[in-house]
Structure formats: structure tokens, C-alpha cells
């Protein structure tokens, strides 16, 4: 039989370890991110997406991908997801096929309408910008010099948590900024005076949390 001292020690250890174990379990649950949207376009269509401008279709570009082929379109967008989405990370592979001098191929987050959103844009002249777009007004939250070559796939990601917006290319953060322009919205893909393929769209909840 245990001595009274051994029993007291066992009770003390149980009291210390139980909250610690609960804390570890709680942290693990908080850190895990759930997939809320994934589309690799292998079904051959854009069901669940809404289009605005441009010419969108599913093609084979190494694998099935959605492509915007009208390089003269001023503003071609396609949206998916929920208007109430707040904290999340959206990621997609983007392959610019042509980039006009005033053009871009972009990933969108928190689109509250067709002209209000956060945007991570691949630009000509080897530049990437993280932008807050409100109609015709574009505020640059961050920018970086980055080789942008037509015919090359890039993995773009935008993380939105509260008023913090962060952008990355191929797993490297290019910058972040603070903006209260829009608190919730859908994800999207966009081109302007350019053509591009998009694939492997993934949205996970929670943003950087």
C-alpha cells in the first residue's frame, strides 16, 4: 500500500499535469486549420464559381486548370466562397500566359463585391504587389521585386486575419500590411489585360492563427 506521503505526491502531480495536458490539447486544436474550399478543376467545370468579365474555361495545362484566355479584357474575375468568410488563407497556383504593360494576374481575398477586395498581383517588370482595391482606388500594402515570367507557375497565397493582410509567393512572404477596407468576403482569381491559368485553389480557415 502507498504511504500517505506517496498518495499526497500523486495527487499533487495529477493536479499539475492535468491542466498542462488540457492546454496542449487546446493549443493543438487551435493551430490546426480546416480546409473549407479546394478546387483543382479536375471535374472539368467551374461549378460553384461566379464569373465577371473575360473568357473563362477549364483546359489542360499540365493538369486541369481554369484559364482566362482573353488578353484584351480590362477586368476579368471569377469568385467563389462565402461573403461572411473573415479569417482565412487562400492559396492558388497562377501561371501568367501574357502580361500587358498595364496588366496583372492575381489572387483575391475578402471580395465583398466585384470591385472591393485584397489582391496579390503578379505584375510586369518583375514585381509583386499586395493591394487593397476599392473600385478604381488601389492602395499598395506591400511590394517586392520578384522574377515574373510568362509560362511559369507561381504559388500565391493571401492570409487575412483581422486587419492584417499578408501575401506570399512560392512560400516566401513578400510583405504584409494593415487595412480595414473590408472585414469579410469571398476569394477570387483575376486578370487585367492579360491571360493566365489558375489551379489548385485552396482555402483554409483561421488565417495566421
Amino acid at each position: 500500500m502507498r504511504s500517505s506521503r506517496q498518495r499526497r505526491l500523486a495527487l499533487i502531480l495529477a493536479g499539475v499535469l492535468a491542466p498542462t495536458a488540457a492546454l496542449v490539447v487546446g493549443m493543438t486544436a487551435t493551430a490546426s486549420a480546416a480546409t473549407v474550399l479546394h478546387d483543382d478543376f479536375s471535374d472539368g467545370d467551374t461549378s460553384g464559381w461566379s464569373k465577371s468579365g473575360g473568357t473563362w474555361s477549364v483546359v489542360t495545362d499540365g493538369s486541369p486548370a481554369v484559364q482566362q484566355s482573353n488578353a484584351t479584357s480590362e477586368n476579368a474575375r471569377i469568385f467563389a466562397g462565402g461573403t461572411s468568410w473573415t479569417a482565412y488563407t487562400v492559396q492558388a497556383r497562377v501561371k501568367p500566359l501574357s502580361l500587358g504593360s498595364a496588366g496583372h494576374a492575381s489572387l483575391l481575398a475578402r471580395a465583398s463585391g466585384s470591385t472591393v477586395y485584397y489582391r496579390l498581383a503578379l505584375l510586369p517588370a518583375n514585381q509583386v504587389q499586395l493591394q487593397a482595391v476599392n473600385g478604381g482606388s488601389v492602395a499598395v500594402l506591400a511590394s517586392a521585386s520578384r522574377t515574373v515570367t510568362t509560362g511559369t507557375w507561381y504559388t500565391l497565397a493571401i492570409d487575412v486575419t483581422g486587419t492584417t493582410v499578408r501575401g506570399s509567393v512560392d512560400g516566401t512572404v513578400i510583405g504584409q500590411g494593415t487595412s480595414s477596407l473590408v472585414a469579410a468576403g469571398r476569394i477570387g482569381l483575376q486578370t487585367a489585360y492579360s491571360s493566365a491559368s489558375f489551379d489548385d485553389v485552396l482555402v483554409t480557415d483561421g488565417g495566421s492563427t
Side-chain angles (χ1 to χ4, degrees):
M1 294 180 63
R2 292 183 178 181
S3 68
S4 59
R5 181 179 179 182
Q6 287 175 320
R7 286 195 298 271
R8 285 198 302 272
L9 181 58
L11 289 172
I12 292 170
L13 287 174
V16 171
L17 293 177
T20 303
L23 177 61
V24 171
V25 171
M27 288 175 65
T28 302
T30 302
S32 62
T35 297
V36 293
L37 185 151
H38 178 228
D39 200 343
D40 60 6
F41 305 102
S42 59
D43 55 5
D45 60 44
T46 54
S47 176
W49 293 80
S50 59
K51 304 172 186 176
S52 177
T55 303
W56 297 88
S57 61
V58 176
V59 301
T60 299
D61 194 344
S63 62
V66 66
Q67 187 176 100
Q68 198 298 104
S69 57
N70 185 354
T72 64
S73 178
E74 179 182 3
N75 196 357
R77 293 143 296 170
I78 186 169
F79 300 100
T83 56
S84 63
W85 286 3
T86 54
Y88 61 85
T89 299
V90 56
Q91 174 179 297
R93 293 199 304 136
V94 181
K95 179 181 180 179
L97 302 173
S98 66
L99 280 173
S101 58
H104 61 80
S106 302
L107 178 66
L108 311 180
R110 282 191 187 167
S112 64
S114 60
T115 59
V116 181
Y117 37 73
Y118 296 117
R119 177 168 71 197
L120 184 60
L122 296 175
L123 303 170
N126 294 323
Q127 191 176 32
V128 181
Q129 285 188 354
L130 181 64
Q131 306 168 337
V133 180
N134 186 5
S137 175
V138 178
V140 178
L141 303 178
S143 64
S145 297
R146 177 69 158 81
T147 300
V148 178
T149 305
T150 56
T152 299
W153 285 103
Y154 300 92
T155 299
L156 273 57
I158 305 174
D159 179 287
V160 283
T161 306
T163 59
T164 301
V165 186
R166 179 182 296 107
S168 66
V169 179
D170 293 336
T172 300
V173 175
I174 64 103
Q176 71 176 46
T178 300
S179 172
S180 57
L181 172 66
V182 58
R186 299 179 293 170
I187 60 107
L189 312 171
Q190 182 184 34
T191 65
Y193 299 115
S194 305
S195 57
S197 293
F198 302 85
D199 199 4
D200 297 324
V201 180
L202 175 67
V203 181
T204 53
D205 67 0
S208 60
T209 60

